[in-house]
Each structure stands twice: as structure tokens, then as C-alpha cells.
Amino acid sequence: IFDPSNANIGNNTITYTYIDTNGCSNSATDNITVNLPPLVSFSITNQTQFCSNETPFQLVGGSPAGGTYSGPGVNNNIFNPSNANIGNNTITYTYTDTNGCSNSTTENIIVFSLPPTTLALTNFQACSNETPFQLVGGLPSGGTYSGPGVNNNIFYPANANIGNTTITYTYIDTNGCSNSAT
């Protein structure tokens, strides 16, 4: 059994010796070349934390160039946060050199889930001549309301559309992830 990890880097002379039943022996030699695996590095140069609804992007930062990326949410070297795991995702960069030797290294990308956001407005009807009123009913609290007739979370019926008006409640959590309800 030849174990490349215990051999010398470069040429290793291997000898095969045979002894027949008369005690006569002969041998033959050949060389096995052992190459070092390539030095591989991978560093995500921009951000390493994403919300699950962010735009997919091309992975870069693997060296030497020309390797492949793999892991949760990775397809054809593109990372898609919506296809990755919520939490930690180990991304592997693998490079194979011209000798056929491979090496790999990893980086972690964290994906945050979107905050659960709901909207249950307390006023479902308003006349266009009514006094403006504070919008409430969005959860978790601390988000913002938007839509026709809305300014600084206050609904101005005179400025809204006649008929149905869609109000959107948007909440941004401490991770910077945003979700909306209408």
C-alpha cells in the first residue's frame, strides 16, 4: 500500500522484489511522483450576513481563481440566500491544479429569517372629510406605514384614494431584515 501522505514530495522510487521457490530473487523499480496540494484560500470580501430575501450573487474571493463553490444555497457558484439555511451556512471553495491535486477551504455565511410581520388595521373605513388619525395594528411594533394618504404613520383620508386604499406596514428587525404586510 502506497500512502502519499507518508512519502516524499517529488519522485519516490518504488522497488518490487520477487523471490522464487529456489531462493532466487530479482527486482524492478519505478517512480511515483507526489505533488503538494495547491494552496487554497477563500475570503468573502464584502458582507457575510444576509437576509433570506436578498438578491442572489456570484461568489468570489477563492484563490487561485478557477475553482468551484459549494454548500447550502450555492448553485453554479451563485449564492442564493433564499435557498440557503437560516443561520450558519458553510461554503466550500475547491480548486484542482494541473497535476490533478485538489484542496479546499471554507467560509461561513449567515442568513437571517425575515421578521414575522402582520397588519390588522383598527379602522377599515374612513370618509374623505374625516380628521387624520394615527395608524395602528402593525406587528411587531416600531415599523412604518405607507400608502396613499399616509404620512409619518398618520392616515389623511382627504389625501387618500376614493375607494379601496392599500396600506403597507413595513418592519425592519435588528439584523436589518425587512418584511411587509398590507
Side-chain angles (χ1 to χ4, degrees):
I1 295 174
F2 181 78
D3 184 355
S5 65
N6 289 327
N8 296 320
I9 301 301
N11 284 330
N12 292 269
T13 302
I14 307 299
T15 303
Y16 175 76
T17 303
Y18 178 77
I19 301 172
D20 67 15
T21 56
N22 297 320
C24 298
S25 68
N26 200 356
S27 58
T29 61
D30 203 350
N31 291 316
I32 295 179
T33 302
V34 175
N35 297 305
L36 284 172
L39 293 176
V40 177
S41 65
F42 174 33
S43 177
I44 299 173
T45 55
N46 48 6
Q47 70 188 60
T48 58
Q49 298 180 349
F50 299 89
C51 300
S52 62
N53 64 342
E54 290 192 47
T55 304
F57 60 92
Q58 182 78 39
L59 288 165
V60 294
S63 178
T68 58
Y69 299 89
S70 61
V74 177
N75 187 14
N76 292 324
N77 294 338
I78 295 174
F79 182 75
N80 186 341
S82 66
N83 293 338
N85 298 321
I86 299 299
N88 191 49
N89 294 271
T90 301
I91 308 302
T92 302
Y93 178 72
T94 304
Y95 177 78
T96 303
D97 66 14
T98 56
N99 295 318
C101 296
S102 294
N103 203 355
S104 62
T105 188
T106 61
E107 270 287 323
N108 292 317
I109 294 178
I110 297 171
V111 176
F112 299 112
S113 61
L114 300 181
T117 306
T118 61
L119 177 59
L121 294 173
T122 55
N123 291 337
F124 289 103
Q125 294 184 30
C127 294
S128 63
N129 63 348
E130 280 187 47
T131 303
F133 56 89
Q134 181 76 38
L135 290 169
V136 294
L139 291 175
S141 63
T144 58
Y145 298 87
S146 61
V150 178
N151 189 2
N152 290 326
N153 295 338
I154 297 174
F155 184 68
Y156 294 84
N159 297 338
N161 299 330
I162 301 298
N164 286 332
T165 299
T166 300
I167 304 298
T168 302
Y169 179 73
T170 303
Y171 178 78
I172 301 172
D173 68 11
T174 58
N175 296 316
C177 297
S178 172
N179 202 0
S180 299
T182 57

